[in-house]
Amino acid sequence: MTAIELALRFEHAFGAPPCISSAPGRVNLIGEHTDYNDGFVLPCAIGFRTHVAVRAREDTKLIMCSGEFPGQFEFDVKALPVAHQSIWCDYPVGFAVALRKNGFSLPSANVMVQGEVPVQFYSGNFLDGTITGKHGHIYQHRFGFCLETQHFPDSPNHPDFPSTILNPGEVYQSRTIYKFSVEK
């Protein structure tokens, strides 16, 4: 799905045009999870992408939906769940919880995620203050996040999953744009 198609789908669902951000998938050619521990790693972007369409709301709701998973999920930004709900949006909601706990304002929004690859959102839930990183920094609970996109790892065994095959002669192009902002 193109960004234009996502914008049209979002506008149909929520009645207003969105702001769209996009990120490429990533592979680590050398090492795994060593980039935050002074190890050697060579992360490279790949052509598969995840797109997110967002528009602010006037109330206190955070409404999330996905092109890959059924359902629309609604949360109150002033009373976000602290326990996981066993749904795809647990990761971004966990990050929103961490932002609020650390004093950042969290605006209400409509969010639609559409990916050529599923996004894995690591919010640092496993961090417990026992890991020391670069320059002696202690990594506390939820003190970091990573948006890591990758394709469905078991897609060859699931005909309803998107294909990971790029056939000979096919061309794949991508562009990376990162845009983040917060208010405190």
Side-chain angles (χ1 to χ4, degrees), residues 1-3 5-7 9 20-25 46-53 65-69 88 111-120 148-152 155 160-164 172:
M1 176 179 293
T2 67
E5 292 168 328
L6 176 60
R9 187 175 188 183
I20 296 180
S21 293
S22 180
I46 59 174
F48 297 110
R49 303 187 70 74
T50 296
H51 309 281
V52 179
C65 62
S66 168
E68 287 78 38
F69 302 102
W88 69 268
V111 180
M112 182 178 284
V113 178
Q114 174 65 46
E116 298 153 354
V117 294
V119 65
Q120 291 190 35
E148 187 173 292
T149 54
Q150 38 185 284
H151 215 282
F152 292 93
S155 64
D160 54 325
F161 284 8
S163 174
T164 58
Y172 196 91

Side-chain angles (χ1 to χ4, degrees), residues 2 6 42 60 92 101-102 140 148 152 168 183:
T2 67
L6 176 60
L42 180 58
T60 62
K101 281 185 178 178
N102 285 285
Q140 300 293 336
E148 187 173 292
F152 292 93
E183 294 179 14

Side-chain angles (χ1 to χ4, degrees), residues 48-88:
F48 297 110
R49 303 187 70 74
T50 296
H51 309 281
V52 179
V54 180
R55 184 169 180 97
R57 297 178 56 91
E58 297 296 322
D59 53 21
T60 62
K61 294 179 183 178
L62 174 62
I63 299 178
M64 303 180 78
C65 62
S66 168
E68 287 78 38
F69 302 102
Q72 179 171 294
F73 302 95
E74 184 174 314
F75 305 96
D76 185 326
V77 296
K78 295 184 179 186
L80 293 167
V82 292
H84 68 84
Q85 310 292 305
S86 297
I87 50 180
W88 69 268

Side-chain angles (χ1 to χ4, degrees), residues 162-177:
S163 174
T164 58
I165 298 171
L166 183 65
N167 293 309
E170 293 180 341
V171 175
Y172 196 91
Q173 297 178 339
S174 67
R175 182 174 64 153
T176 303
I177 300 172

